[in-house]
PDB file of all heavy atoms in Angstrom:
ATOM      1  N   GLY A 214     -48.022  12.878 -20.874  1.00 97.00           N
ATOM      2  CA  GLY A 214     -48.268  13.949 -21.883  1.00 97.00           C
ATOM      3  C   GLY A 214     -48.301  15.280 -21.434  1.00 97.00           C
ATOM      4  O   GLY A 214     -48.547  16.249 -22.225  1.00 97.00           O
ATOM      5  N   GLY A 215     -48.161  15.620 -20.163  1.00 98.00           N
ATOM      6  CA  GLY A 215     -48.113  16.985 -19.680  1.00 98.00           C
ATOM      7  C   GLY A 215     -46.839  17.588 -19.608  1.00 98.00           C
ATOM      8  O   GLY A 215     -45.775  17.081 -20.110  1.00 98.00           O
ATOM      9  N   GLY A 216     -46.689  18.841 -19.058  1.00 98.00           N
ATOM     10  CA  GLY A 216     -45.348  19.542 -18.871  1.00 98.00           C
ATOM     11  C   GLY A 216     -45.331  20.408 -17.684  1.00 98.00           C
ATOM     12  O   GLY A 216     -46.321  20.575 -17.066  1.00 98.00           O
ATOM     13  N   ILE A 217     -44.188  21.057 -17.530  1.00 97.00           N
ATOM     14  CA  ILE A 217     -43.872  21.705 -16.257  1.00 97.00           C
ATOM     15  C   ILE A 217     -43.638  23.180 -16.625  1.00 97.00           C
ATOM     16  O   ILE A 217     -43.024  23.526 -17.601  1.00 97.00           O
ATOM     17  CB  ILE A 217     -42.625  21.131 -15.585  1.00 97.00           C
ATOM     18  CG1 ILE A 217     -42.751  19.717 -15.355  1.00 97.00           C
ATOM     19  CG2 ILE A 217     -42.318  21.899 -14.318  1.00 97.00           C
ATOM     20  CD1 ILE A 217     -43.841  19.273 -14.404  1.00 97.00           C
ATOM     21  N   THR A 218     -44.222  24.028 -15.716  1.00 98.00           N
ATOM     22  CA  THR A 218     -43.869  25.556 -15.770  1.00 98.00           C
ATOM     23  C   THR A 218     -42.671  25.773 -14.948  1.00 98.00           C
ATOM     24  O   THR A 218     -41.637  26.156 -15.432  1.00 98.00           O
ATOM     25  CB  THR A 218     -45.097  26.383 -15.337  1.00 98.00           C
ATOM     26  OG1 THR A 218     -45.561  25.941 -13.977  1.00 98.00           O
ATOM     27  CG2 THR A 218     -46.229  26.345 -16.243  1.00 98.00           C
ATOM     28  N   GLN A 219     -42.845  25.519 -13.625  1.00 97.00           N
ATOM     29  CA  GLN A 219     -41.695  25.741 -12.670  1.00 97.00           C
ATOM     30  C   GLN A 219     -41.706  24.448 -11.709  1.00 97.00           C
ATOM     31  O   GLN A 219     -42.804  24.013 -11.354  1.00 97.00           O
ATOM     32  CB  GLN A 219     -41.848  27.069 -11.836  1.00 97.00           C
ATOM     33  CG  GLN A 219     -42.180  28.284 -12.666  1.00 97.00           C
ATOM     34  CD  GLN A 219     -41.122  28.798 -13.564  1.00 97.00           C
ATOM     35  OE1 GLN A 219     -39.922  28.406 -13.456  1.00 97.00           O
ATOM     36  NE2 GLN A 219     -41.443  29.703 -14.444  1.00 97.00           N
ATOM     37  N   LEU A 220     -40.561  24.052 -11.248  1.00 98.00           N
ATOM     38  CA  LEU A 220     -40.427  23.174 -10.168  1.00 98.00           C
ATOM     39  C   LEU A 220     -39.640  23.812  -9.077  1.00 98.00           C
ATOM     40  O   LEU A 220     -38.434  23.967  -9.205  1.00 98.00           O
ATOM     41  CB  LEU A 220     -39.733  21.888 -10.606  1.00 98.00           C
ATOM     42  CG  LEU A 220     -39.740  20.690  -9.664  1.00 98.00           C
ATOM     43  CD1 LEU A 220     -39.323  19.406 -10.366  1.00 98.00           C
ATOM     44  CD2 LEU A 220     -38.967  20.847  -8.448  1.00 98.00           C
ATOM     45  N   ILE A 221     -40.241  24.275  -7.991  1.00 98.00           N
ATOM     46  CA  ILE A 221     -39.635  25.058  -6.963  1.00 98.00           C
ATOM     47  C   ILE A 221     -39.310  24.032  -5.772  1.00 98.00           C
ATOM     48  O   ILE A 221     -40.233  23.480  -5.140  1.00 98.00           O
ATOM     49  CB  ILE A 221     -40.627  26.145  -6.449  1.00 98.00           C
ATOM     50  CG1 ILE A 221     -40.934  27.079  -7.613  1.00 98.00           C
ATOM     51  CG2 ILE A 221     -39.916  26.861  -5.242  1.00 98.00           C
ATOM     52  CD1 ILE A 221     -42.017  28.116  -7.185  1.00 98.00           C
ATOM     53  N   GLY A 222     -37.985  23.701  -5.639  1.00 97.00           N
ATOM     54  CA  GLY A 222     -37.586  23.040  -4.502  1.00 97.00           C
ATOM     55  C   GLY A 222     -37.443  23.888  -3.182  1.00 97.00           C
ATOM     56  O   GLY A 222     -37.081  25.041  -3.314  1.00 97.00           O
ATOM     57  N   THR A 223     -37.918  23.333  -2.055  1.00 97.00           N
ATOM     58  CA  THR A 223     -37.817  24.146  -0.876  1.00 97.00           C
ATOM     59  C   THR A 223     -36.771  23.746   0.120  1.00 97.00           C
ATOM     60  O   THR A 223     -36.452  24.407   1.087  1.00 97.00           O
ATOM     61  CB  THR A 223     -39.189  23.980  -0.102  1.00 97.00           C
ATOM     62  OG1 THR A 223     -39.346  22.663   0.366  1.00 97.00           O
ATOM     63  CG2 THR A 223     -40.326  24.361  -1.040  1.00 97.00           C
ATOM     64  N   GLY A 224     -36.196  22.484  -0.157  1.00 95.00           N
ATOM     65  CA  GLY A 224     -35.189  21.933   0.917  1.00 95.00           C
ATOM     66  C   GLY A 224     -36.028  21.106   1.742  1.00 95.00           C
ATOM     67  O   GLY A 224     -37.217  21.369   2.055  1.00 95.00           O
ATOM     68  N   GLY A 225     -35.422  19.835   2.165  1.00 92.00           N
ATOM     69  CA  GLY A 225     -36.219  18.948   2.886  1.00 92.00           C
ATOM     70  C   GLY A 225     -36.709  19.196   4.291  1.00 92.00           C
ATOM     71  O   GLY A 225     -37.669  18.544   4.749  1.00 92.00           O
TER      72      GLY A 225
END
Side-chain angles (χ1 to χ4, degrees):
I217 304 300
T218 53
Q219 316 285 349
L220 192 169
I221 300 171
T223 67

